[in-house]
Amino acid sequence: MIIAIDGPAASGKGTLAQRLADHFKLPHLDTGLLYRAVGWLAGQTGQTPAAAAAYLDAADLDNPALRTDEAGQAASKVAAIPEVRVNLLKFQREFAHQASGAVLDGRDIGTVVFPDADLKIYVTATPEARAERRFLELQGKGETADRVAILGQIRERDRRDTERATSPLTRAPDAILLDTTELGLEEQVVLASRWAALAMKPVRRPTLIYSFGSGFTRFFARWFLDFTIQGLDRVPRKGPLIVACNHISFWDPPLVGAHLPREMHFVAKAELFHNPLFGALIRSYNSIPIQRGAKSRSGLRGAEEVLTAGGAVLIFPEGTRNKSGELLQPRGGVGRLAALTKTPVVPACITGSDQIRRSMRRQVRIRVSFGSPVMPPRSENPERDEVRAFARMIMDRIRAMREEQEAKTWK
Ligand code: C5P
């Protein structure tokens, strides 16, 4: 089990990583300390940073001098040297392989060190919020601190960490964004430990019907349609996941679902199950009925069960197939379901599927794209307004992806 936590300076990633490590009884490696130690050793012994990185020992990490701000600034300078990074890569991988897993936090864990981590989280907060935390931390230690200076240092470190050529600080495409500007540590731990616990569950094999159906759909799309897909690297492979897509055609659930790299469950209107034969067919293909209206919580129960077991659900936030060409106002369901089950949401966009015949004649290209995972609303039982705002934010992402797809079509 590898949990990768990345993020900028003073985002709180180290504290979160330590809490997760305690919770799951996994070793924790603060990889920033490695760079700090290299900078410090090079300064003290006159070795080159690359040599210091090659012979770094776990004992070197216990030095209290590494925790100072000067050590942080020195670290971010040696961190830009490619040989230093290569040498520390070995250290980090060995650390995790010696135990049966680990929690690592740093800048490039999910992108470079462990691109196949079981769970990737990108922790962030506004520079102001991070500066404020650092300020309070220093004050708590009885040190004198200057808010403006701290903010300046944080901005400077962000700039250096994101602009350097080797392994710059970037979010892995499939890392779940955890914005902690307004999220306390306990709330972060609750979310992250749930994602991790569910990502650890063994993945069950899809049913034969599902494998056959999705295989057939991929074959059909590949050979009979003008079909492209992008952003699959943004889809987390493990743990609970909601994929929220716009809906223009009967073909959307199979086309989007079959191309996702994991078994999907499909939320469908209860009315579709009224015909016994059709109902049995779609049920065997992982469809779950949802009831709309007053008792909305019980209406979502089927989807809730899948997500609580760590599965993935495809949902259409507009609530209905929409042929108008404009996106509809979303219903709240996607926000309510995400909040209730603390599940991240990947926005998805499909265009062209309402013109299947023309696509078969290669006159229309069907495009599917995915966005990076968004964290769920803060509270488990959010107010109506929060749910709505969340759903609108997801629709805005879908709209932005659609505009991008349309721009390509006209090129
Ligand atoms: O996280 P911390 O402040 O201890 O990191 C110190 C510096 O080490 C960062 O500013 C960054 O430049 C570098 N670093 C890195 N890759 C990591 C961890 C830290 O480049 N995985």
Side-chain angles (χ1 to χ4, degrees):
M1 179 73 192
I2 306 275
I3 302 178
I5 303 194
D6 290 300
S11 56
K13 59 185 186 310
T15 318
L16 176 63
Q18 186 58 53
R19 288 288 300 271
L20 287 176
D22 293 345
H23 185 98
F24 293 105
K25 304 203 166 36
L26 288 170
H28 167 218
L29 182 62
D30 167 0
T31 64
L33 269 186
L34 306 179
Y35 293 89
R36 288 169 181 257
V38 168
W40 190 84
L41 281 172
Q44 294 290 308
T45 63
Q47 306 174 76
T48 63
Y55 300 105
L56 194 70
D57 199 85
D60 298 327
L61 305 179
D62 287 334
N63 185 345
L66 303 183
R67 303 277 176 187
T68 61
D69 261 339
E70 298 78 70
Q73 297 291 345
S76 107
K77 284 178 196 144
V78 299
I81 305 171
E83 293 79 23
V84 169
R85 303 204 72 88
V86 170
N87 291 339
L88 289 183
L89 197 58
K90 270 191 245 136
F91 187 103
Q92 296 169 76
R93 291 192 176 147
E94 273 165 22
F95 178 89
H97 289 142
Q98 273 163 13
S100 60
V103 184
L104 294 95
D105 75 89
R107 302 290 191 289
D108 62 343
I109 311 300
T111 47
V112 177
V113 184
F114 285 107
D116 293 326
D118 299 278
L119 174 66
K120 299 183 193 176
I121 298 177
Y122 189 86
V123 185
T124 182
T126 59
E128 291 76 15
R130 289 185 277 136
E132 185 64 22
R133 276 182 213 154
R134 195 42 56 99
F135 174 76
L136 294 174
E137 189 184 308
L138 291 174
Q139 234 187 10
K141 285 191 215 159
E143 293 174 31
T144 48
D146 172 358
R147 273 201 178 83
V148 180
I150 294 175
L151 182 58
Q153 281 163 8
I154 283 188
R155 289 224 159 96
E156 172 59 20
R157 201 121 75 89
D158 281 358
R159 192 191 57 72
R160 234 191 343 248
D161 288 348
T162 49
E163 289 178 3
R164 68 168 177 242
T166 36
S167 294
L169 170 66
T170 42
R171 175 184 178 190
D174 55 343
I176 304 168
L177 188 72
L178 190 66
D179 185 339
T180 64
T181 307
E182 290 177 34
L183 204 65
L185 177 62
E186 295 309 319
E187 293 172 294
Q188 299 168 35
V189 173
V190 167
L191 283 177
S193 55
R194 179 176 171 100
W195 300 335
L198 292 175
M200 284 178 197
K201 284 192 157 195
V203 179
R204 68 165 197 156
R205 270 178 52 164
T207 60
L208 217 56
I209 296 188
Y210 187 86
S211 303
F212 175 78
S214 57
F216 178 81
T217 307
R218 285 196 301 274
F219 172 83
F220 178 74
R222 168 94 172 71
W223 296 104
F224 293 95
L225 298 176
D226 186 350
F227 183 84
T228 65
I229 192 150
Q230 69 175 65
L232 282 175
D233 58 344
R234 296 181 176 147
V235 181
R237 303 299 199 258
K238 292 180 181 169
L241 183 71
I242 295 173
V243 178
C245 190
N246 65 317
H247 194 5
I248 51 177
S249 153
F250 171 80
W251 287 88
D252 300 340
L255 278 177
V256 176
H259 288 89
L260 279 160
R262 52 190 290 182
E263 183 183 10
M264 298 302 296
H265 292 78
F266 304 89
V267 165
K269 280 188 277 197
E271 296 91 275
L272 287 178
F273 294 80
H274 288 170
N275 177 317
L277 199 64
F278 186 70
L281 180 76
I282 60 176
R283 208 183 278 275
S284 72
Y285 198 68
N286 285 0
S287 296
I288 336 163
I290 55 156
Q291 258 99 25
R292 295 205 303 228
K295 285 188 254 103
S296 40
R297 162 107 201 232
S298 65
L300 294 171
R301 187 140 298 152
E304 195 183 331
E305 270 166 27
V306 170
L307 295 170
T308 307
V313 165
L314 178 63
I315 189 171
F316 299 100
E318 293 163 292
T320 185
R321 190 150 36 117
N322 160 33
K323 299 182 192 148
S324 73
E326 286 300 311
L327 298 178
L328 301 180
Q329 276 285 345
R331 292 166 170 272
V334 64
R336 218 170 317 114
L337 189 59
L340 195 62
T341 58
K342 303 185 173 63
T343 301
V345 178
V346 159
C349 176
I350 185 163
T351 52
S353 56
D354 50 346
Q355 302 182 61
I356 285 284
R357 278 161 204 254
R358 292 186 58 206
S359 184
M360 289 175 80
R361 283 186 245 120
R362 301 288 188 272
Q363 291 166 343
V364 165
R365 175 162 287 182
I366 299 175
R367 292 176 192 275
V368 176
S369 54
F370 299 98
S372 287
V374 174
M375 71 187 209
R378 263 185 79 178
S379 50
E380 202 168 303
N381 269 310
E383 298 289 325
R384 218 191 160 87
D385 287 347
E386 196 186 342
V387 164
R388 287 264 164 86
F390 183 85
R392 275 199 301 274
M393 180 264 290
I394 296 293
M395 277 327 271
D396 288 342
R397 303 266 163 121
I398 297 176
R399 183 169 297 112
M401 288 192 280
R402 203 172 71 148
E403 277 160 16
E404 218 174 279
Q405 288 179 6
E406 277 162 3
K408 274 191 199 143
T409 307
W410 297 114
K411 254 181 210 157

